[in-house]
Amino acid sequence: MTRKHTARDAAPHHLETFFLSPTRAAELVRRTGVVETMRGMAQALEEDFGRWQDFEKSARTANHSPHGVIELMPVSDDREFAFKYVNGHPINTRSGLPTVMAFGALASVDTGMPEFISELTLTTALRTAATSVMIARRLARPDSRTMALIGNGAQSEFQALAFHGLLGIRQLRLYDVDPAATRKLAANLAPHALEVVCCGSTDEALRGADIVTTVTADKAYATILGGHQVVPGMHVNAVGGDCPGKTELAAEVLRKGRVFVEYEPQTRIEGDLQQMPADFEVTEFWRVLRGEAPGRTSAAQITVFDSVGFALEDYSALRYMRALAGAAGVLERLELIPELADPKNLYALLQPPAAAESAVAARTAVAA
Ligand SMILES: NC(=O)c1ccc[n+]([C@@H]2O[C@H](COP(=O)([O-])OP(=O)(O)OC[C@H]3O[C@@H](n4cnc5c(N)ncnc54)[C@H](O)[C@@H]3O)[C@@H](O)[C@H]2O)c1
């Protein structure tokens, strides 16, 4: 049960949960502009990754099934707890459902009260692309102008527009095993000032690419990119290998480059890194952001971002979208936690309203 409320109402109230639906989130992003939304989100991500030590972190928990995975992703600082529920079922698109569906929440650390619940399907695509750009800014060659985009499904427009609008990519070379997906992506990108080249193979898409984004979905040890396909100076933004038994890069790609990750304990299990020995060297990106570790050190170096998606990104995205929605007055109120006159008398909820009131009166009289 939801009702619309205004920006003025968005002030915190201890028993109110605010809600952002996919329809309202989409309206907000249209109004703000998709690139501007990702610009703001990338800024929020940088601020939060910059205070990495403030967060209580853990690798997400995953429940696996033959065709997919359902994951829970918690994180908190001393004020807010965030979690995301997200699935990954590459088989879904055959039956008309998205591969990735998500929602999440922000709660008060002081009380545990859930204060905000949001769709995170659209928001995940935005935050994943914003994260890729935040990292590519430090790792890709500054003169990068051409990107190969392998995998042209739900995430792809967001990756394309983030790299175009926030990193200066001018030519995109698209490839997907499903030509209809590539046609869809090219049509969605048509209004933008981008040169789009539809390719018939990964090798064709890689021609002249400074950056390679792999964002495919296949619950398999796939090799989207082989060691022979990465060349000096390339930045690899590997987004789709994000689950045990689901990879995109040949081990040789990781060996040829320097590998950067979000949160090492999680990426060791889920990323392309799962193929490598436990002592294979990687750098957590926050260290680059804080100046504690180098990013790219030469124009010829190959850099690899082994992206899996970390809870902190959803914390940042949830807070960013809540602020945007609050300012625009599009948050709704959700009745989630019962209002109780006496917090110890949960049972009163089951009594007819008059009886519940007299129970409160009786307790008050005893207390007096
Ligand atoms: N790292 C992260 O933070 C993060 C966040 C969101 C999604 N993901 C992952 O990104 C991937 C893409 O998600 P989506 O929502 O776009 O899925 P999607 O199903 O909408 O699109 C995936 C596309 O990959 C294509 N594909 C599959 N195998 C291919 C191959 N060998 N070569 C070229 N194309 C191939 C499919 O035809 C499809 O069009 C998924 O694996 C998902 O789990 C990662």
Side-chain angles (χ1 to χ4, degrees), residues 264-265 267-269 273-282:
E264 186 178 339
T267 312
R268 290 247 171 237
I269 302 166
L273 192 57
Q274 66 190 270
Q275 313 166 65
M276 308 309 278
D279 61 352
F280 181 83
E281 195 185 329
V282 298

Side-chain angles (χ1 to χ4, degrees), residues 88 90 93 99-100 124 127-128 150-156 175-178 181 202 215-218 224 239-242 246 262 307-310 313:
T93 53
T99 296
V100 175
T124 289
R127 77 76 153 129
T128 303
I150 319 293
N152 301 160
Q155 310 298 317
S156 61
Y175 174 66
D176 195 296
V177 286
D178 172 12
T202 298
V215 64
T216 65
D218 190 2
I224 305 302
V239 178
D242 60 354
K246 180 164 171 268
E262 293 141 309
S307 162
V308 291
F310 181 50
E313 293 148 31

Side-chain angles (χ1 to χ4, degrees), residues 120-189:
L120 286 180
T121 305
L122 174 63
T123 302
T124 289
L126 295 161
R127 77 76 153 129
T128 303
T131 303
S132 286
V133 159
M134 165 179 76
I135 289 176
R137 270 184 192 143
R138 286 356 183 254
L139 299 184
R141 289 189 343 266
D143 60 349
S144 298
R145 295 292 171 263
T146 299
M147 178 164 95
L149 183 44
I150 319 293
N152 301 160
Q155 310 298 317
S156 61
E157 284 81 0
F158 301 88
Q159 292 284 335
L161 292 174
F163 276 85
H164 170 55
L166 305 177
L167 208 90
I169 289 297
R170 293 187 194 138
Q171 189 190 74
L172 271 174
R173 302 179 65 82
L174 317 181
Y175 174 66
D176 195 296
V177 286
D178 172 12
T182 304
R183 283 196 297 276
K184 174 252 1 175
L185 174 57
N188 284 339
L189 295 178

Side-chain angles (χ1 to χ4, degrees), residues 246-267:
K246 180 164 171 268
T247 58
E248 294 185 313
L249 307 180
E252 185 58 16
V253 175
L254 302 172
R255 271 189 231 109
K256 280 179 93 170
R258 269 192 66 214
V259 179
F260 297 81
V261 300
E262 293 141 309
Y263 179 59
E264 186 178 339
Q266 184 178 315
T267 312

